[in-house]
């Protein structure tokens, strides 16, 4: 089992910056992907940024060039640096991690979620 602990978001002004962090604990072996999702009121949860072992980072088009995701495998943490924030970034942000275990010929992947933290961008 994996537990994910997110830092708190907050209220920021348009054009401001905010950094979110997430730490994984528990049975943290074989975590091959970590990332951030967000869900705005009335909308589906969407991938904001993600990292996967052996692959480049992936970003939603709406945040590309403004957000940066980084993962520290040794510390089992993932960070989302958010710059040039706009009101449309307002949402609950969720940390996620994928763990893939190989059991003989079967590969089993489990997805874990943080509790979510509110980020509000408003003047």
């Amino acid at each position: 089992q994996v537990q994910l602990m997110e830092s708190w978001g907050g209220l920021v002004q348009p054009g401001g910056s905010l950094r979110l962090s997430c730490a994984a604990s528990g049975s943290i072996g074989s975590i091959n992907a970590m990332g951030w999702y967000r869900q705005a009121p009335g909308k589906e949860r969407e991938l904001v940024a993600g990292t996967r072992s052996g692959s480049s980072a992936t970003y939603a088009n709406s945040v590309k060039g403004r957000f940066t995701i980084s993962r520290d495998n040794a510390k089992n943490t993932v960070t989302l640096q958010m710059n040039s924030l706009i009101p449309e970034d307002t949402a609950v942000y969720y940390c996620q991690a994928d763990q893939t275990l190989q059991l003989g010929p079967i590969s089993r992947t489990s997805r874990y979620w943080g509790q979510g933290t509110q980020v509000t961008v408003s003047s």
Side-chain angles (χ1 to χ4, degrees):
Q1 296 181 341
V2 173
Q3 296 81 45
L4 301 176
M5 182 176 295
E6 303 152 322
S7 63
W8 292 112
L11 174 65
V12 296
Q13 299 292 314
S17 298
L18 188 66
R19 183 170 65 251
L20 301 178
S21 62
C22 174
S25 62
S27 300
I28 49 83
S30 301
I31 294 179
N32 59 292
M34 296 188 74
W36 290 92
Y37 286 70
R38 70 184 181 186
Q39 187 168 21
K43 296 185 178 180
E44 296 292 318
R45 187 175 300 184
E46 64 173 348
L47 175 67
V48 178
T51 63
R52 185 172 296 277
S53 298
S55 301
S56 301
T58 300
Y59 296 93
N61 289 333
S62 58
V63 307
K64 200 172 186 66
R66 299 187 297 117
F67 291 10
T68 302
I69 188 171
S70 60
R71 179 184 175 186
D72 188 330
N73 291 330
K75 297 181 179 179
N76 298 307
T77 60
V78 62
T79 299
L80 184 68
Q81 177 66 47
M82 303 182 290
N83 298 325
S84 302
L85 286 162
I86 59 177
E88 289 75 16
D89 295 321
T90 296
V92 177
Y93 285 70
Y94 298 88
C95 177
Q96 69 88 26
D98 291 335
Q99 181 183 63
T100 300
L101 301 177
Q102 192 70 41
L103 303 175
I106 301 176
S107 180
R108 181 175 298 170
T109 299
S110 299
R111 171 159 288 187
Y112 300 90
W113 296 93
Q115 292 296 309
T117 186
Q118 177 72 44
V119 173
T120 301
V121 184
S122 176
S123 60

